[in-house]
Amino acid sequence: ARAGRWRTYPSRRPVLPLDRIWYSRDLALAGSGVAANVRAASDHLPLFADFLHLPGQDRAPPRSGPDGDQPDP
């Protein structure tokens, strides 16, 4: 999995990493990326992610990927 933030905005020349994928602690990020071949669909590029399930972690709070930012309270 790539660590760091993907540039997704604006879609024509992405310079800002504005978008996130949130997931629970019972998942491990296996890979992520940006679908750059659909620039005309939106002003943001779509993110995608692959996950692995981690049994026994079902009740932990969510986290953000790929760098693990926590939401503000």
Side-chain angles (χ1 to χ4, degrees):
R2 177 180 180 241
R5 297 182 179 182
W6 294 99
R7 296 179 194 175
T8 58
Y9 182 84
S11 61
R12 291 183 184 201
R13 292 194 113 201
V15 294
L16 299 172
L18 298 182
D19 300 288
R20 305 283 186 273
I21 296 175
W22 291 89
Y23 57 99
S24 65
R25 295 205 184 271
D26 65 326
L27 301 174
L29 184 64
S32 63
V34 173
N37 58 342
V38 291
R39 294 180 190 276
S42 174
D43 59 343
H44 292 252
L45 292 176
L47 294 173
F48 63 86
D50 293 315
F51 297 99
L52 300 172
H53 183 254
L54 302 173
Q57 301 288 325
D58 295 335
R59 297 186 187 265
R63 59 185 176 186
S64 157
D67 55 358
D69 287 343
Q70 290 292 323
D72 292 332

